[in-house]
């Protein structure tokens, strides 16, 4: 089946620093989504991307849909303590049911 | 807004016992999914449903069964629990025909099998 490689697995940064994480796939996706999971909760959507090359921002977050449709990245600028959590990328192919394949997640720790 | 509600939130089972996790959504979504989350392994799809009365296998379906008798509910059953099924289970739903691709998740159900 489809697999996503998400990196890095974890990051420890100082407050105010910028963060970058990415996902690569062995298959083409039609939609890339980035989610954040806070402790004890389910993932919540941050950004959705629908076209190859698309660059989308949501506040301090910026994500891009790779030209090859096999990769995506997420940047967080000027990190703050509440950015702590697990970030997941997810890809959706052109199949029925819109099933999402998730990366293994990037655990972000922000030191005040 | 309730969104997606999972019950129970926590459960401890002994090997061989059975149980059912209930997922309820109030957004009139067509699609519903059950995922399991294990440390360092992201979210893996167990079963999913594209509408009332329909179910299909996902990536890791063995040992689980599901039912979607009502559009708003999606049940995940373990007939004979095994320690390998210790995990956090997440239910999610998604709009059908017109949608953004976004999955709406419940808060998770933490299951421990001894």
């Amino acid at each position: 089946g489809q697999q996503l490689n998400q990196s890095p697995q974890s990051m420890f940064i100082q407050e105010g620093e910028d963060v970058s994480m990415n996902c690569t796939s062995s298959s083409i996706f039609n939609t890339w989504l980035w989610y954040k999971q806070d402790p004890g909760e389910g993932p919540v959507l941050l950004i959705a991307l629908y076209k190859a090359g698309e660059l989308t921002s949501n506040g301090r977050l910026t994500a891009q849909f790779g030209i090859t449709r096999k990769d995506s990245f997420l940047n967080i600028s000027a990190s703050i303590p509440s950015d702590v959590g697990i970030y997941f990328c997810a890809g959706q192919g052109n199949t029925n049911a819109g099933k999402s394949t998730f990366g293994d997640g990037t655990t972000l720790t922000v030191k005040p | 807004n309730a969104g997606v509600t999972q019950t129970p939130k926590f459960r401890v089972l002994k090997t061989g016992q059975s149980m059912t996790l209930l997922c309820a959504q109030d957004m009139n979504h067509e699609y519903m999914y059950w995922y399991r989350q294990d440390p360092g392994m992201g979210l893996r799809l167990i079963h999913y449903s594209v509408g009332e009365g329909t179910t299909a296998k996902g990536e890791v379906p063995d040992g689980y069964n599901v039912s979607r008798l009502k559009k708003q509910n999606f049940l995940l059953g373990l007939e004979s629990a095994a320690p390998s099924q210790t995990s956090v289970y997440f239910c999610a739903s998604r709009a059908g025909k017109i949608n953004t691709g976004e999955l709406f998740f419940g808060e998770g159900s933490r299951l421990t099998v001894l």
Side-chain angles (χ1 to χ4, degrees), chain A residues 28-32 34 48-56 63-73 92:
Chain A
I28 290 174
F29 287 117
N30 292 328
T31 302
W32 280 97
W34 285 92
L49 302 157
Y50 304 105
K51 296 181 181 179
E54 179 181 355
L55 184 71
T56 297
Q64 185 161 26
F65 193 139
I67 292 293
T68 65
R69 298 167 63 192
K70 291 184 177 182
D71 63 328
S72 178
F73 73 74
Q92 290 183 7

Side-chain angles (χ1 to χ4, degrees), chain A residues 91-102:
Chain A
Q92 290 183 7
N94 191 28
T95 59
N96 67 332
K99 291 179 291 181
S100 294
T101 300
F102 283 82

Side-chain angles (χ1 to χ4, degrees), chain A residues 35 37 50 88 92 97-98 100, chain B residues 33 35 37 90 94 100-101 103:
Chain A
Y35 291 84
Q37 183 181 28
Y50 304 105
F88 291 101
Q92 290 183 7
S100 294
Chain B
Y33 311 84
Y35 287 89
Q37 183 178 27
F90 285 97
R94 203 198 80 164
T100 62
L103 296 182

Side-chain angles (χ1 to χ4, degrees), chain A residues 2 9 31 33 35 37 40-46 48 50 86 88 92 96-105, chain B residues 31 33 35 37 40-45 48-50 57-59 90 94 99-108:
Chain A
Q2 296 171 322
Q9 185 176 10
T31 302
L33 307 112
Y35 291 84
Q37 183 181 28
E41 299 184 9
V44 175
L45 183 70
L46 297 173
Y50 304 105
I86 305 176
F88 291 101
Q92 290 183 7
N96 67 332
K99 291 179 291 181
S100 294
T101 300
F102 283 82
D104 289 345
Chain B
Y31 299 162
Y33 311 84
Y35 287 89
Q37 183 178 27
M41 297 188 72
L43 292 153
R44 293 183 292 169
L45 183 64
Y48 64 98
S49 168
V50 299
K57 294 180 179 180
E59 181 185 359
F90 285 97
R94 203 198 80 164
N99 73 87
T100 62
E102 178 180 4
L103 296 182
F104 293 82
F105 285 88
E107 293 184 340

Side-chain angles (χ1 to χ4, degrees), chain B residues 36-82:
Chain B
R36 61 177 288 173
Q37 183 178 27
D38 301 294
M41 297 188 72
L43 292 153
R44 293 183 292 169
L45 183 64
I46 305 171
H47 285 281
Y48 64 98
S49 168
V50 299
E52 180 178 320
T54 71
T55 64
K57 294 180 179 180
E59 181 185 359
V60 288
D62 294 343
Y64 305 95
N65 56 76
V66 288
S67 65
R68 184 103 181 265
L69 298 180
K70 294 182 179 180
K71 184 178 183 179
Q72 64 268 33
N73 295 337
F74 195 29
L75 278 64
L76 178 70
L78 286 71
E79 292 185 347
S80 180

